[in-house]
Amino acid sequence: AFPAVLDDHAFFAWGLIELHQATQDPKRLSQAAELTELTLKHFGDSEEGGFFLTADDGEQLFLRSKEVYDGAEPSGNSVTCLNLLRLSSLLARPEWEAEAERVFRAFAGSIAQGPAAHTLMMQALDLAVGPTHEVVIAGDPGAKDTQALLRALRSGFHPRAVVLLRTDENAETLAKLAAYTKHQTPMDGKATAYVCLNHACHAPTTDAAKMLALLEAEPVSPDQSE
C-alpha cells in the first residue's frame, strides 16, 4: 500500500532467518538473503555507514534520518546488523560481516554513551566478537539419528551458532547458497555433524555429545597451539 521503510525489511528478514533455523527450508534462507541485498542497495549509507530509515528510491525528503535506539522495539539498524552477521555466518559472506562492522563504527559514540539503550546492537556486537560456529547436519531429515543431532543442538542455548541441515533433497540448492556445504556428507550412512569455527571445520562426528563439546570448547589461540 505504501513504500516499506528499513524496519519493515529488517524485521521481515529477521523472521525469515528464524523460520529457516526452525524449519531448515533453504527457500527461507534465500528470501532472507535477497531481502538483505535490497536493504544494502536502497537503505545503506555508503559514505558514513549504517542504514537510513527511508529508501533511496522512495519519496524525496529534506533529511533521511538514521535510527539506532532500541526501545520497546529494536531499531532497524540493530536488526539489520544482526541479520548481516548471521547471514554472513550461514552463507560464508565476509563482505556482509564487514558491512556490520561499518554499522558499529557509525554508531559507536551513541552506543558508548548508553549501552543499555542499544540492547540488540550489543547482542550483535557480541556475535561479531565471537567466536561464532556454523553447524552442518548431514543426513536424512526423517531419520532418528538426524533428529537426535538436531534435538541435541536445540536443547541448549547457543547464541553464536547457526545451523544448516543438508539432505539429499536440498543439497544442490543449499550448495548454491552456502558453497561450503557441498562436500559435507553423511559418514558411513549415518547422520553427521560438521562443527566449524568461523568456517574452519573440526573433524566430522556422528556423536551428539562430541558435537556439543566442540561447540562449547574455547577456541585455541596461535600461541596456545604451539
Side-chain angles (χ1 to χ4, degrees):
F2 49 84
V5 297
L6 173 64
D7 294 25
D8 299 314
H9 287 71
F11 277 81
F12 191 17
W14 188 9
L16 288 165
I17 294 169
E18 293 292 346
L19 187 58
H20 168 263
Q21 291 293 279
T23 66
Q24 289 298 320
D25 181 354
K27 180 180 179 181
R28 304 308 176 195
L29 185 57
S30 177
Q31 290 172 327
E34 290 173 5
L35 196 54
T36 300
E37 291 275 16
L38 285 173
T39 303
L40 288 165
K41 179 179 180 181
H42 293 294
F43 294 88
D45 183 347
S46 59
E47 295 182 3
E48 302 294 334
F51 296 89
F52 295 107
L53 180 62
T54 55
D56 61 359
D57 59 352
E59 181 183 356
Q60 295 299 309
L61 305 173
F62 289 111
L63 177 67
R64 293 177 71 199
S65 63
K66 296 180 188 175
E67 297 181 359
V68 69
Y69 170 69
D70 294 329
E73 292 183 355
S75 71
N77 269 284
S78 296
V79 176
T80 301
C81 189
L82 186 61
N83 290 346
L84 285 166
L85 290 165
R86 294 180 76 191
L87 288 170
S88 174
S89 188
L90 281 161
L91 306 178
R93 297 281 298 266
E95 69 275 18
W96 283 5
E97 183 178 359
E99 287 290 345
E101 290 176 1
R102 294 184 73 239
V103 177
F104 294 134
R105 294 182 185 279
F107 300 112
S110 177
I111 296 169
Q113 290 178 5
H118 304 85
T119 49
L120 193 73
M121 187 67 81
M122 295 300 292
Q123 182 179 331
L125 181 60
D126 178 75
L127 183 60
V129 171
T132 59
H133 289 91
E134 303 82 32
V135 184
V136 180
I137 304 297
D140 177 352
K144 290 183 179 180
D145 54 356
T146 304
Q147 289 301 315
L149 291 175
L150 290 171
R151 189 163 52 251
L153 281 172
R154 292 165 177 165
S155 66
F157 181 53
H158 307 289
R160 297 197 195 109
V162 292
V163 182
L164 289 164
L165 175 62
R166 183 193 187 278
T167 69
D168 288 341
E169 290 76 17
N170 76 7
E172 184 176 348
T173 300
L174 191 61
K176 291 179 181 178
L177 290 167
Y180 66 94
T181 65
K182 183 176 181 179
H183 302 293
Q184 293 175 330
T185 58
M187 295 193 307
D188 301 323
K190 298 179 181 179
T192 303
Y194 293 80
V195 179
C196 309
L197 177 64
N198 298 325
H199 297 287
C201 299
H202 296 280
T205 180
T206 59
D207 182 80
K210 185 175 181 180
M211 173 188 68
L212 294 178
L214 290 171
L215 257 182
E216 295 164 3
E218 291 294 326
V220 178
S221 69
D223 291 339
Q224 291 175 310
S225 62
E226 293 179 355

